Amino acid sequence: MADVAREAGVSVATVSKVVNGRYGVAQSTLDRVQQVIADLGYEASLGASSLRSHRTNVLGILVAEFEPFSTELLKGASSAITQTGYELLAYSGGARGADVGWERRYLSRLGGTLIDGAIIVTPTVVDASNGIPVVAVDPHTGPSGLPTVDSDNFAGAVMATQYLLALGHRRISLVGGRPDLESARLREAGFRSAMADAGLDVDESLVVIGGYRPETADQPARELLTRPDRPTAVFAANDLSAIRTIEVAREIGLRVPDDLSVVGFDNVPESALCDPPLTTINQPLRDIGAQALRLLVDLLQGTDTPTHVRLPTALVERASCRALV
Amino acid sequence: MADVAREAGVSVATVSKVVNGRYGVAQSTLDRVQQVIADLGYEASLGASSLRSHRTNVLGILVAEFEPFSTELLKGASSAITQTGYELLAYSGGARGADVGWERRYLSRLGGTLIDGAIIVTPTVVDASNGIPVVAVDPHTGPSGLPTVDSDNFAGAVMATQYLLALGHRRISLVGGRPDLESARLREAGFRSAMADAGLDVDESLVVIGGYRPETADQPARELLTRPDRPTAVFAANDLSAIRTIEVAREIGLRVPDDLSVVGFDNVPESALCDPPLTTINQPLRDIGAQALRLLVDLLQGTDTPTHVRLPTALVERASCRALV
DNA sequence: ATGAAAGCGCTAACAT
DNA sequence: ATGTTAGCGCTTTCAT
């Protein structure tokens, strides 16, 4: 900015005014400064300007890691932001393991200055925020003090289970998520509810913890499928563990869906890419991202907003299940 | 930080030293300050610290928009960053139309202070960078002064065309990209080369500009498919225009692949989700993102690095094409 | 081992 | 209409 000022023969304050469109600049000065800015390709440093002005016009979306789930949300947020005049900054640490409390860390790091508001994706600790407006997407402890967007995990799990039941399956296994997470609990509850409604007892030995990640789902799935009385169907609490279950089945020599039916949850794009394409429960991930962004913008504008948006889930039938004869 | 200092009874300078692990702090002081930091949940502001230290340990990935293509790269970069100790910041404006020069804008905005290095995705103007190391992914003007990662567009287009030829198609249409973009030119060149090798003349009226986006591909596809002498097959320069072509075909009453074969390019996840699943050319998008990140890290460490990495493309056969009898 | 003070690039009062 | 000055939250000499 000093360069621009020198080149244009004005003070940095004037350049700042030009950059920020403040009043009190003569037309001739304005033109000249803008010309210099264009020539030099100058652009104000986000770090510096935000430090001083506490307003950046940038919205943050904070995620633990860029994986299929969060990037779908990102696509939704990105499409929703076009009309708003804000820019979007997505931030993630290196996903170095169980870094509990990342959401707070990121929020403090970026919140005070760099971003005007934030969307936090699947946070585990959702406490009062850092001064800037925050909306939580799919928080792992259920709706909290924060405005929240999520989808109907319970209903989705019921649908998945009922689908398998309707296909004639009775020995149905649940490869669950992480018991500490609200979404995982709801999916398990939905599974149990549907089983109960069908008058079926849940064989507890068929209920295992998959942990939502391929690595953590591998071993439980393997044990399940190598049992002599293995299940005829698996409801996995998310797509990534469902996909790993299919891979494990193949390694063991089981064919999906002939020898084993598998239903996932999330409907990340990867679920359609696997072989066979995965039957799963759709979460409208992009919508969720878009809604979260709109909610955040409303919050920033002081508009009265709903504090909790819940979107519907739906069954997506592909090719990983078959009817029992 | 002032709060922490007051609470711990030390100066901000000392707190800074603790936060940054500098030497010259007594063990007792260290413990006390760290305790206060933990209690208060303090975290240094990225904006402020970077402003002063010009080192942030954050790498940027700058994209015009978060769409399927760039988010795949993001996944790759995210997985590659785990081992490096860097954090990842992805930035996008609002994709407000033809904002030429966004890459320079973003780079200036973030480069001086906030990020130590950047990956720029499909930039159109690739000039000397802003002082920080930059690697370009799939630049639209071809390999330039910048270290670059891309994939073999020409070979991919040849494969796609040969595939359609092998199925017996002769009236093959090209729904091209944007003529100003290198990747689009290479894909067109590959198409023409394969046609020529097969001893076929290209019917120039079947070569249209699709512009890489659904909206821009719609009209050209419509005109193509409503002609009395419509093509029997379409090679679309990217998946998004291929998918739109399929949608247009359906609207018109044509069945894919029965009445029309379609091949895309990119293999974004969405290509497997469409109906029918799209046969396309795979770009190893995640690999590209991961390689770009590694290249950038090497650059930052001053390691000698290749200046251009080109990854192979491959045909992914799904269900959008059929053999002509 | 600790703190005082300067300054990173910018914006916002407040002069002029 | 323009410039001067102070200071955003932090890091870094440089004294002490």
Side-chain angles (χ1 to χ4, degrees), chain B residues 176-198:
Chain B
R178 285 170 41 191
D180 56 324
L181 305 185
E182 177 75 359
S183 65
R185 276 198 295 265
L186 287 168
R187 292 173 198 181
E188 177 166 346
F191 167 72
R192 290 181 183 278
S193 163
M195 291 291 275
D197 284 354

Side-chain angles (χ1 to χ4, degrees), chain B residues 231-261:
Chain B
T232 64
V234 171
F235 169 37
N238 75 342
D239 285 346
L240 293 182
S241 39
I243 291 168
R244 179 55 66 98
T245 301
I246 290 176
E247 288 164 1
V248 167
R250 187 183 349 267
E251 283 176 36
I252 292 174
L254 297 175
R255 289 159 308 164
V256 176
D258 301 294
D259 303 321
L260 181 76
S261 292

Side-chain angles (χ1 to χ4, degrees), chain B residues 35-52:
Chain B
Q35 185 57 50
V36 175
I37 287 176
D39 289 351
L40 268 50
Y42 169 80
E43 188 82 16
S45 152
L46 180 62
S49 59
S50 72
L51 185 56
R52 187 64 233 253

Side-chain angles (χ1 to χ4, degrees), chain B residues 8 30 62 66-67 71 102 109 111 132 143 151 154 190 200 225 241 246-247 258 264 282 284 294 299 321:
Chain B
L30 190 92
L62 279 32
F66 293 110
E67 23 66 35
T71 49
W102 59 269
R109 237 167 118 68
I132 61 169
S151 66
F154 183 86
L200 257 38
L225 299 184
S241 39
I246 290 176
E247 288 164 1
D258 301 294
N282 181 64
R294 280 189 217 105
L299 240 41
C321 298

